[in-house]
Amino acid sequence: RMPVGSDGRSTYAQLAMPVSKFLPATSLKFLGSIQEDSAVTESVLRQRAYVDLYPSSRASLDIGRIAKKMADEQSSRVVRGNLQFFFKAIVEHS
C-alpha cells in the first residue's frame, strides 16, 4: 500500500510536466491530495456531493484543506486570468 498522499504527488508530477512545457506562462503548485474514501463512492451512487453527505469524511476534510490553501494563495495574489477566476469562484462558493 502506498503512503497517504503519494498517489496525489505522482499525479501532480505527471500533470505539472506537460503544463510547464506547453503552457510556459502557467505553473502548478501541489496543494494536497484527496485520500481514497468510500464516502466518495457512496455519494456518487446517491448523486450528491460527498462534502454535503459526509462533511467529516477523510475526502471532505482533504477538500477543505486544499480549498483553504487555495483561498490563502489567492488572497495574497492579484487575479490575472480565466483559470484563476474559475478557482476563485469555486473557493468563494465553498
Side-chain angles (χ1 to χ4, degrees):
R1 187 170 171 102
M2 288 190 176
V4 173
S6 63
D7 279 344
R9 284 207 180 271
S10 172
T11 301
Y12 163 77
Q14 290 174 351
L15 183 61
M17 191 180 312
V19 165
S20 66
K21 180 178 179 180
F22 295 107
L23 302 169
T26 303
S27 65
L28 300 180
K29 183 175 181 180
F30 182 77
L31 297 177
S33 60
I34 302 166
Q35 297 178 54
E36 186 174 328
D37 191 334
S38 61
V40 175
T41 304
E42 179 62 30
S43 66
V44 168
L45 293 172
R46 295 178 65 185
Q47 297 183 3
R48 299 262 320 275
Y50 62 88
V51 293
D52 290 335
L53 284 176
Y54 306 104
S56 298
S57 70
R58 289 184 310 219
S60 293
L61 296 175
D62 289 342
I63 283 286
R65 280 190 285 276
I66 292 168
K68 180 170 181 354
K69 288 179 183 178
M70 288 176 72
D72 291 346
E73 291 266 329
Q74 288 297 324
S75 67
S76 66
R77 276 194 240 167
V78 176
V79 176
R80 295 183 312 261
N82 293 335
L83 191 57
Q84 283 103 349
F85 284 118
F86 172 74
F87 284 117
K88 183 175 188 243
I90 289 173
V91 170
E92 288 176 352
H93 181 59
S94 298

